[in-house]
Amino acid sequence: MTAFNSMEERDQFDTRVLYEPLEGVERLENYRQGGYHPVQIGDYFHSRYRVIHKLGYGSYSTTWLARDEKSNKYVAVKVCTANSNPKEVDILSTFGHTLNSPVHNPAKTMVPSILDTFTIHGPNGNHACYRTAPARASLSQVKDGSWIRLFQLDVARSLAAQLVLVVDYVHAQGIVHGDLHLGNILFKVPHNFDQITLEQLYEKYGTPELDPVVHLDGNPLPPGVPSHGIASVWLGEPIEKITLAESRILLSDFGEAFSYSKEPKHESRTPLVIRPPEARFEPNKPLSFSSDIWTVACTIWSIIAQRPLFEGFLATEDDMTCEQVDTLGVLPPEWWRKWEARRHKFSEDGKPINREYFRSWDDRFEDSVQQPRQDSGMPMFDTRERDAIFDMLRPMLSFRPENRPTTKQILESEWMVDWEICWQF
């Protein structure tokens, strides 16, 4: 889910509970001045895009599956909140006419193309909107939709390779993504998706689920609040059934992206469990391309594993730093001294104290990657490939950002060369 573009923007949203909560629906209290635009199935955008389902939502937008009445194709339309700063459009537009990459770079097709922009004037304000090609589901949604939570080996290799390729492409344009995780990596729709009729789409994926919005005090709904909440459509399929041919990705959600040379950024909005440690221990230094490298490593681990590398439900920063030290070893000396909670968790030399159990790197690979694959009757990584994965990922997870490899160096690693890039994108 996308974070707000500024602290001021976040503070403008209501924290009170005004409506009966609906599962799988954006926060209804944010249908207010400056917030979401109310959308219903059957609405027309820009006099041509007919809304037929909901694809998803974030903190500063909702995204809708629509049928373009002019081209007779399915499209995705993102409707931004009125108070948002939709710089994502500017970022994505730079990719459309960049001169910094080869013409036939396959990664160009792995970032969304802005196909149309327009503005909706609604009861909650003026909403910037833009159209892109639709996508099926995020890698996170596909994993959450299966109890196995494991991709086949060839699919996992392909997804990891594509992720590095597209981040390399983004970095080559001088852009730091700033929010890389499974939820922002989407599967593309099949090539024949536009040939599916609306009736066939509803039959296969289900009709929109409309749940009445109810005001807790019994009053009528304000004009800027929709009459019904709409759950997002599930266009995915069981993770273990996804084939290599279907594993084409789209890197989405550039709401936290920034130009490294033009707009230094210090605050990371990446989910805490994969947030790079420099965001905590070097808050006065700007985030960089290396910050993306840390989250790419965590995301690749989640692609090949059943469980994430670092885990924490309702975790604190101290919890996550503890996870990182358990896995990767002692922090740099100045960070180690600065970390006040350290003395309650580790001895001076990094040995855990007051804890009977901790999981090392090798432990995590065995119980998150290998054992679940064996238990599910799926092929495991052999010793040589496992070592190649370790040799690639461990430098990417260096605590000091300046010690992490670039995307170009990652693409030259043994795992990428011998197991990944052989697939023709």
Side-chain angles (χ1 to χ4, degrees):
M1 193 175 293
T2 306
F4 293 95
N5 293 330
S6 67
M7 291 298 291
E8 292 78 14
E9 181 183 324
R10 176 164 51 191
D11 293 341
Q12 289 174 351
F13 284 80
D14 207 324
T15 58
R16 298 173 296 167
V17 177
L18 305 176
Y19 309 98
E20 291 185 4
L22 298 177
E23 186 177 355
V25 174
E26 63 274 11
R27 193 166 189 273
L28 297 168
E29 286 72 18
N30 289 342
Y31 281 98
R32 58 187 295 277
Q33 281 297 309
Y36 295 122
H37 175 67
V39 178
Q40 296 293 342
I41 303 300
D43 285 355
Y44 274 84
F45 296 144
H46 207 35
S47 303
R48 63 182 289 186
Y49 307 123
R50 177 166 58 96
V51 176
I52 60 175
H53 222 312
K54 183 178 184 181
L55 288 173
Y57 63 91
S59 298
Y60 79 109
S61 65
T62 54
T63 304
W64 302 87
L65 181 64
R67 189 73 173 178
D68 183 353
E69 301 282 299
K70 291 187 178 181
S71 67
N72 204 30
K73 293 182 177 181
Y74 291 106
V75 299
V77 178
K78 179 173 280 193
V79 182
C80 299
T81 56
N83 276 348
S84 68
N85 175 21
K87 65 175 184 176
E88 183 174 27
V89 176
D90 298 329
I91 294 287
L92 293 177
S93 295
T94 65
F95 297 138
H97 45 69
T98 180
L99 301 176
N100 295 340
S101 63
V103 174
H104 299 297
N105 187 339
K108 284 187 175 183
T109 66
M110 300 177 196
V111 293
S113 297
I114 301 295
L115 305 175
D116 193 10
T117 59
F118 54 95
T119 301
I120 291 177
H121 307 284
N124 294 328
N126 298 326
H127 305 264
C129 307
Y130 57 95
R131 164 197 155 197
T132 63
R136 296 182 67 184
S138 70
L139 271 61
S140 176
Q141 290 171 325
V142 170
K143 286 191 73 117
D144 291 344
S146 168
W147 67 270
I148 293 179
R149 297 178 58 83
L150 287 168
F151 292 105
Q152 298 291 343
L153 282 187
D154 59 348
V155 172
R157 295 180 186 120
S158 169
L159 295 174
Q162 290 178 81
L163 176 59
V164 179
L165 278 171
V166 69
V167 175
D168 178 66
Y169 173 70
V170 170
H171 285 186
Q173 318 314 315
I175 302 297
V176 178
H177 185 280
D179 197 18
L180 289 163
H181 54 79
L182 291 181
N184 286 338
I185 307 169
L186 312 179
F187 282 107
K188 293 181 179 180
V189 296
H191 291 296
N192 64 346
F193 189 67
D194 286 324
Q195 279 67 59
I196 301 174
T197 67
L198 181 58
E199 293 72 22
Q200 291 171 331
L201 185 135
Y202 283 163
E203 181 179 355
K204 183 173 183 178
Y205 299 111
T207 57
E209 297 179 12
L210 309 180
D211 294 315
V213 176
V214 178
H215 211 302
L216 289 177
D217 61 10
N219 289 335
L221 298 176
V225 178
S227 60
H228 293 81
I230 304 173
S232 303
V233 64
W234 165 250
L235 298 177
E237 61 180 308
I239 186 173
E240 64 276 10
K241 293 185 179 180
I242 294 174
T243 66
L244 186 60
E246 295 172 318
S247 61
R248 299 175 303 126
I249 70 165
L250 196 68
L251 180 60
S252 71
D253 211 335
F254 285 76
E256 292 296 323
F258 60 97
S259 170
Y260 180 70
S261 63
K262 297 178 182 177
E263 46 175 334
K265 186 176 181 180
H266 295 79
E267 183 181 5
S268 174
R269 300 280 174 75
T270 304
L272 183 59
V273 291
I274 62 171
R275 188 173 298 166
E278 62 268 25
R280 179 184 189 185
F281 291 102
E282 295 183 342
N284 295 323
K285 292 185 179 180
L287 300 172
S288 66
F289 303 108
S290 297
S291 303
D292 275 351
I293 298 301
W294 176 279
T295 53
V296 167
C298 295
T299 303
I300 289 176
W301 180 284
S302 293
I303 287 171
I304 65 175
Q306 187 180 71
R307 295 162 58 185
L309 178 59
F310 307 121
E311 299 181 282
F313 180 68
L314 300 178
T316 65
E317 284 190 324
D318 286 331
D319 293 332
M320 296 320 304
T321 301
C322 184
E323 279 271 297
Q324 293 165 4
V325 173
D326 279 349
T327 310
L328 304 172
V330 176
L331 298 171
E334 65 273 25
W335 296 7
W336 192 243
R337 291 190 297 270
K338 186 189 300 184
W339 184 26
E340 293 184 3
R342 186 264 306 164
R343 61 180 57 90
H344 304 297
K345 299 176 181 293
F346 295 95
S347 62
E348 286 292 334
D349 59 359
K351 291 185 173 59
I353 58 175
N354 300 324
R355 288 188 294 134
E356 295 181 358
Y357 176 72
F358 77 98
R359 296 166 62 226
S360 67
W361 174 274
D362 289 333
D363 293 336
R364 289 167 197 251
F365 192 82
E366 182 61 31
D367 62 33
S368 298
V369 180
Q370 300 289 63
Q371 192 63 48
R373 290 186 175 276
Q374 185 177 49
D375 293 344
S376 301
M378 300 173 71
M380 298 186 294
F381 293 100
D382 64 29
T383 301
R384 179 169 171 257
E385 185 172 5
R386 180 202 64 192
D387 292 346
I389 293 171
F390 286 8
D391 289 344
M392 184 188 79
L393 290 182
R394 287 303 294 264
M396 296 171 68
L397 292 164
S398 298
F399 282 124
R400 295 189 188 277
E402 61 270 20
N403 291 340
R404 295 172 202 154
T406 65
T407 49
K408 296 235 178 330
Q409 291 171 324
I410 297 167
L411 288 170
E412 295 171 353
S413 68
E414 181 185 3
W415 193 46
M416 284 284 156
V417 171
D418 288 359
W419 281 277
E420 304 272 357
I421 307 302
C422 57
W423 187 61
Q424 299 298 312
F425 297 105

